[in-house]
Amino acid sequence: MLFFAIVAGLGAVTLLVLLFASHIRSYAAGGVCRSPARLDGKTALITGANTGIGRETARDLAMRGARVIMACRDVEKGEEAAASIRAANPDADVEVRELDLADTCSIRAFAQEFLREVNRLHILINNAGVMMCPYTKTVDGFEMHIGVNHLGHFLLTSLLIGLLKRSAPARIVVVSSLAHNFGWVRFHDLHSQGSYNSGLAYCQSKLANVMFTRELARRLKDTNVTVNSVHPGTVNSDLIRYSTLMTIFMTFFSTFVKTPREGAQTSIYCAVAEELHSVSGKHFSDCAPAFVAPQGRSEETARRLWDVSCDLLAIEWD
């Protein structure tokens, strides 16, 4: 009897999903950036633009007339993504440059070449990231999540901040996650050498993204350069490749999750929406202001993380 009850229950759920599939899909898709803003004459830099929401963000900004520089670790995949954007829009001005956020030498080399060859930067989208990967270290010995998701972008932004200021008005968008709510910055073991949990390491790095955004906004006050963080939503993309559970979920419940194009909407919104021209230090989801966890609002912790990050990277911000 129990078996038949379970089967009947699953059948009922399946039937409801089929009946309301269009409504569920519409709700899951989330907010849409409806800004008609053009970006002619503007230059945008997007990390991790060869796949997922980064690729869709690059496609959208290129359609708006921006010169889009796609910073990718895998140049071959980056060129494939750029070719697909050009195929859809022959006038798209997109180019691919190599950038490995797990290697500070690569970041510095990228920035040096970028500053030599590009004289304006109006939009920087720190999009690239890793999620729930096995314990590994970056070239410089940082735990991979905190190293790529936070420290890599922290260094990149520091190297380009002067150009952003000279190009003002300019915007920085930091892709974080709802997962920041479950993160804590473990200063005593930032690189998870004592113990490692891939989920907690990811959450810590996403919290670091939020804290970096808020502290950077404070430091950029009155510069006409804004910075905001975003939660893209639960997106079916390559980011989940290390998580078997997430992969299974995305396979069987795709109706309930966002496509990369849908997941890119909030990044696009924060990059182009006219009403956000002076908004800085905020967190967005579904193209609207979003909740920040209490630990993400601690100015003291954010400043401590900033100082620790500078020490680890051996840098000083202007």
Side-chain angles (χ1 to χ4, degrees), residues 100-110 138-140 142 147 151-152 155 159 312-313:
D100 185 354
L101 288 162
D103 181 353
T104 58
C105 287
S106 173
I107 299 169
R108 292 180 185 279
F110 171 89
T138 68
V139 172
D140 302 274
F142 308 138
L151 292 171
L155 176 59
L159 295 170
L312 287 169
L313 295 165

Side-chain angles (χ1 to χ4, degrees), residues 16-220:
L16 287 171
V17 169
L18 291 174
L19 287 173
F20 296 99
S22 61
H23 298 286
I24 294 172
R25 182 85 282 284
S26 178
Y27 178 79
V32 177
C33 177
R34 303 190 183 282
S35 170
R38 293 289 304 173
L39 298 175
D40 303 285
K42 304 292 186 181
T43 299
L45 169 61
I46 307 171
T47 66
N50 60 293
T51 187
I53 66 174
R55 177 173 176 165
E56 292 300 328
T57 303
R59 182 194 63 79
D60 185 279
L61 300 193
M63 288 286 289
R64 295 172 185 270
R67 175 191 181 188
V68 178
I69 298 169
M70 306 165 66
C72 309
R73 181 178 59 83
D74 190 325
V75 174
E76 183 177 351
K77 288 184 178 180
E79 291 293 357
E80 290 174 0
S84 71
I85 293 172
R86 295 189 196 100
N89 177 18
D91 294 327
D93 186 359
V94 293
E95 60 184 272
V96 178
R97 296 188 179 221
E98 184 175 4
L99 171 64
D100 185 354
L101 288 162
D103 181 353
T104 58
C105 287
S106 173
I107 299 169
R108 292 180 185 279
F110 171 89
Q112 184 178 32
E113 181 180 13
F114 190 93
L115 292 172
R116 186 171 60 247
E117 299 177 357
V118 181
N119 59 13
R120 288 289 184 271
L121 179 60
H122 305 93
I123 300 170
L124 169 61
I125 301 182
N126 291 335
N127 168 82
V130 295
M131 177 181 178
M132 299 179 70
C133 60
Y135 185 75
T136 47
K137 292 184 177 181
T138 68
V139 172
D140 302 274
F142 308 138
E143 186 277 319
M144 191 62 71
H145 290 91
I146 199 72
V148 170
N149 297 353
H150 170 59
L151 292 171
H153 283 121
F154 187 97
L155 176 59
L156 177 66
T157 306
S158 75
L159 295 170
L160 299 179
I161 197 65
L163 181 58
L164 284 158
K165 289 178 180 178
R166 293 193 296 275
S167 307
R171 302 187 188 191
I172 302 169
V173 180
V174 179
V175 178
S176 180
S177 169
L178 181 70
H180 86 271
N181 284 276
F182 309 102
W184 296 91
V185 180
R186 303 170 72 237
F187 289 107
H188 67 285
D189 190 18
L190 196 64
H191 303 291
S192 305
Q193 293 175 308
S195 63
Y196 180 70
N197 178 289
S198 61
L200 294 179
Y202 175 72
C203 293
Q204 175 181 242
S205 71
K206 295 292 99 178
L207 176 61
N209 290 155
V210 171
M211 289 183 166
F212 168 55
T213 298
R214 293 169 68 89
E215 178 62 13
L216 180 57
R218 186 183 70 81
R219 293 169 180 256
L220 289 176

Side-chain angles (χ1 to χ4, degrees), residues 240 243-253:
I240 63 168
S243 174
T244 302
L245 184 62
M246 288 289 288
T247 301
I248 293 173
F249 175 83
M250 295 294 184
T251 301
F252 289 97
F253 297 96

Side-chain angles (χ1 to χ4, degrees), residues 258-277:
K258 294 183 178 183
T259 65
R261 182 169 297 185
E262 291 163 351
Q265 293 303 304
T266 306
S267 293
I268 296 166
Y269 173 73
C270 287
V272 307
E274 299 90 335
E275 63 268 26
L276 300 185
H277 69 93

